[in-house]
């Protein structure tokens, strides 16, 4: 019956059925992203809730891990949402408990440390520099907004900090130390004797009959390893080539126009001064005044950053931090950056990390990538999606055939 139903769902009918299934799910997802209302929660860990959207993101990440691990030969049933929901929820609960424990111990990740970490991630760089549009596109493909990705990364860094703290404070009891010392210093006396086998060989002759009798009496000693002879069919998405027409590509482009919109971006550099443990407020203020005075006198910003900035990660590159669209750095920094023209340097800006002097190196106006610029990427994505859909249908048909086979 399943096979006959599948045969009937071909061509236009199949597309209508798929649309009926897919569109409601898509609309529900879009509504949850745009409206921000009606949030559903699937678990509560102490006072922290886990939303259905967070669970879905975790499920999608599990799917991607399975696909990366098993490749095109993966059984499609392993990608079922219901199958992955349980382990994904358990992982989110453990993550929530760990981040809560880290917060209880007073651990935190500074905004600047988070920004530096993201800026150093190779996946977000183009020609060695952080690229804001690439950052937004990659995190969107993972199901995150920029702010959501930063919060998820902050939690991961908190958990790493917690594990490192626990590992760094480990101890051993006196009994364990004594046991280790006794094992390490333990010594053994060994005596041995060598008996050459040649002394026990005889000149006895072994007849063919004796050999045959030994063979007949010990059949288990001459068994080959058990083997299986099988036949199989291997299917890959490449076995289902799909032609995508121009109209489909343009419809997809128009539906995702906002995704291809590159926001206004500003490339900045900074000089960070942080109050050191061995200096008082007056000494720190003197360092800030010195940098301000030298900048006012026209000193080279990159040279000052290399010589005086406390941000060792950016100092070696003249203080450069890469591009931001207004959401990457702490709010005081973004406010100051927005007020600068290219080449200008800000007044001192205060954040949790210290005092910043910020220079705007480059301003890129926002624009939408044209259809021709993304045509190849759209075609590749559509062809892959259609091929995978055809593969799944073929696998289901083969399952029915195998189940109903008489032999």
């Amino acid at each position: 019956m399943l096979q006959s139903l599948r045969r009937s769902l071909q061509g236009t009918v199949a597309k209508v059925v798929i649309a009926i299934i897919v569109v409601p799910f898509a609309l529900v997802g879009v509504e949850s992203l745009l409206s921000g209302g009606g949030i559903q929660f699937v678990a509560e860990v102490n006072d922290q809730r886990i939303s259905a959207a967070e669970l879905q993101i975790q499920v999608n990440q599990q799917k991607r891990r399975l696909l990366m691990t098993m490749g095109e030969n993966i059984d499609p049933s392993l990608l079922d949402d219901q199958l992955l929901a349980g382990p994904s929820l358990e992982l989110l609960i453990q993550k929530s408990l760990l981040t809560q424990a880290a917060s209880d111990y007073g651990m935190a990740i500074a905004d600047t440390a988070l920004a530096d970490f993201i800026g150093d991630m190779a996946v977000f760089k183009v020609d060695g520099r952080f690229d804001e549009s690439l950052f937004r596109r990659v995190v969107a493909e993972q199901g995150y907004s920029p702010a959501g990705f930063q919060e998820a990364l902050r939690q991961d860094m908190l958990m790493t900090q917690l594990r490192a703290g626990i590992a760094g404070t480990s101890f051993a009891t006196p009994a364990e130390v004594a046991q280790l010392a006794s094992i390490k210093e333990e010594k053994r006396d060994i005596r041995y004797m060598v008996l050459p086998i040649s002394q026990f060989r005889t000149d006895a002759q072994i007849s063919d009959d004796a050999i045959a009798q030994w063979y007949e009496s010990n059949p288990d000693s001459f068994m080959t390893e058990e083997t299986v002879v099988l036949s199989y069919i291997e299917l890959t998405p490449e076995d289902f080539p799909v032609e995508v027409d121009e109209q489909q590509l343009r419809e997809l482009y128009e539906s995702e126009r906002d995704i291809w919109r590159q926001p206004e971006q500003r490339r900045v550099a900074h000089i960070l001064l942080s109050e050191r443990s061995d200096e008082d407020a007056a000494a720190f203020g003197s360092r800030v005044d010195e940098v301000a005075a030298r900048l006012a006198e026209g000193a080279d910003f990159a040279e000052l950053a290399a010589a005086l900035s406390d941000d060792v990660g950016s100092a070696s590159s003249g203080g450069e931090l890469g591009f931001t669209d207004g959401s990457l750095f702490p709010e005081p920094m973004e406010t100051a950056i927005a007020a600068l023209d290219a080449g200008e340097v800000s007044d001192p800006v205060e954040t949790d990390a210290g005092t910043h002097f910020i220079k705007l190196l480059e301003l890129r106006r926002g624009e939408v990538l044209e259809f021709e610029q993304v045509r190849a990427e759209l075609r590749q994505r559509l062809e892959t999606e259609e091929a995978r859909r055809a593969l799944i249908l073929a696998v289901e048909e083969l399952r029915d055939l195998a189940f109903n086979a008489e032999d």
Side-chain angles (χ1 to χ4, degrees):
M1 182 178 69
L2 291 176
Q3 187 174 345
S4 62
L5 177 61
R6 183 176 298 108
R7 290 196 187 102
S8 66
L9 290 179
Q10 301 296 327
T12 304
V13 176
K15 293 180 180 178
V16 172
V17 171
I18 293 173
I20 291 173
I21 296 173
V22 171
V23 170
F25 283 95
L27 292 178
V28 170
V30 170
E31 180 183 1
S32 65
L33 289 173
L34 297 180
S35 64
I39 300 177
Q40 296 182 349
F41 297 98
V42 295
E44 183 173 342
V45 184
N46 296 325
D47 294 329
Q48 184 174 343
R49 291 179 172 183
I50 299 174
S51 68
E54 292 176 285
L55 177 58
Q56 187 59 52
I57 289 175
Q58 188 62 43
V59 167
N60 292 339
Q61 290 178 346
Q62 294 281 37
K63 289 182 181 179
R64 281 189 285 270
R65 292 191 187 101
L66 286 172
L67 286 170
M68 291 178 63
T69 302
M70 306 180 69
E72 298 174 350
N73 295 324
I74 188 171
D75 184 346
S77 64
L78 296 178
L79 303 178
D80 182 74
D81 282 12
Q82 294 183 354
L83 180 66
L84 297 174
S88 297
L89 181 59
E90 182 65 26
L91 190 62
L92 288 174
I93 291 173
Q94 294 178 8
K95 186 175 181 179
S96 178
L97 289 171
L98 287 172
T99 54
Q100 290 179 40
S103 298
D104 292 341
Y105 288 130
M107 298 179 176
I109 303 297
D111 290 339
T112 51
L114 182 64
D116 289 344
F117 188 85
I118 294 175
D120 287 337
M121 295 177 71
V123 69
F124 300 138
K125 289 185 176 181
V126 175
D127 296 330
R129 292 181 176 178
F130 179 82
D131 187 277
E132 178 67 22
S133 62
L134 178 61
F135 166 72
R136 284 181 168 274
R137 192 178 308 165
V138 171
V139 300
E141 290 173 354
Q142 300 298 316
Y144 290 105
S145 65
F149 175 78
Q150 292 178 44
E151 183 57 33
L153 182 59
R154 187 191 300 275
Q155 292 181 2
D156 289 341
M157 294 173 69
L158 267 178
M159 289 190 292
T160 300
Q161 191 180 85
L162 175 63
R163 294 189 184 99
I166 294 174
T169 55
S170 61
F171 63 92
T173 64
E176 290 172 332
V177 173
Q179 184 181 22
L180 178 62
S182 65
I183 294 174
K184 185 176 180 180
E185 299 300 325
E186 185 179 64
K187 296 181 180 179
R188 295 176 183 267
D189 291 328
I190 299 176
R191 294 178 176 85
Y192 64 93
M193 178 184 296
V194 177
L195 300 174
I197 193 172
S198 58
Q199 295 181 6
F200 301 92
R201 286 201 178 104
T202 66
D203 296 330
Q205 298 294 321
I206 301 175
S207 66
D208 292 340
D209 291 339
I211 295 174
Q213 184 178 358
W214 172 263
Y215 173 78
E216 295 296 337
S217 301
N218 298 275
D220 292 342
S221 300
F222 305 98
M223 295 290 292
T224 61
E225 292 186 4
E226 185 178 20
T227 59
V228 176
V229 179
L230 57 86
S231 299
Y232 65 92
I233 299 174
E234 180 180 5
L235 298 178
T236 68
E238 287 72 21
D239 297 320
F240 300 88
V242 179
E243 290 294 333
V244 179
D245 59 39
E246 186 76 6
Q247 182 63 25
Q248 289 177 283
L249 294 177
R250 290 194 175 276
E251 289 176 357
L252 180 59
Y253 171 76
E254 293 298 332
S255 67
E256 297 182 347
R257 179 177 285 271
D258 288 342
I259 295 179
W260 304 110
R261 184 181 301 278
Q262 293 183 317
E264 188 171 81
Q265 300 179 60
R266 291 173 168 83
R267 184 164 63 92
V268 298
H270 80 151
I271 298 173
L272 172 64
L273 301 178
S274 302
E275 188 170 340
R276 298 164 183 165
S277 58
D278 59 348
E279 68 179 352
D280 54 23
F284 176 66
S286 297
R287 285 204 296 133
V288 173
D289 292 341
E290 178 190 356
V291 172
R294 294 180 65 175
L295 288 172
E297 294 171 357
D300 183 86
F301 190 93
E303 292 180 359
L304 279 183
L308 302 178
S309 179
D310 291 328
D311 181 3
V312 295
S314 66
S316 60
S317 58
E320 185 165 344
L321 297 175
F323 284 93
T324 176
D325 68 341
S327 63
L328 185 62
F329 302 120
E331 184 177 350
M333 290 183 65
E334 294 291 358
T335 300
I337 292 170
L340 295 175
D341 291 327
E344 287 187 341
V345 178
S346 71
D347 294 329
V349 178
E350 301 293 335
T351 69
D352 293 340
T355 301
H356 307 256
F357 292 89
I358 306 168
K359 182 176 182 179
L360 180 60
L361 302 177
E362 180 183 350
L363 174 61
R364 289 182 182 175
R365 299 296 180 184
E367 61 179 8
V368 177
L369 293 177
E370 297 298 331
F371 173 73
E372 295 299 332
Q373 295 176 273
V374 298
R375 177 201 294 268
E377 183 175 341
L378 293 174
R379 181 179 296 279
Q380 178 65 32
R381 195 203 315 171
L382 273 180
E383 290 178 349
T384 300
E385 290 175 356
E386 293 296 331
R388 288 189 178 278
R389 186 178 294 111
L391 171 62
I392 291 174
L393 292 175
V395 170
E396 290 298 325
E397 183 174 357
L398 284 175
R399 281 180 175 169
D400 288 347
L401 292 173
F403 181 78
N404 294 320
E406 295 180 358
D407 58 5

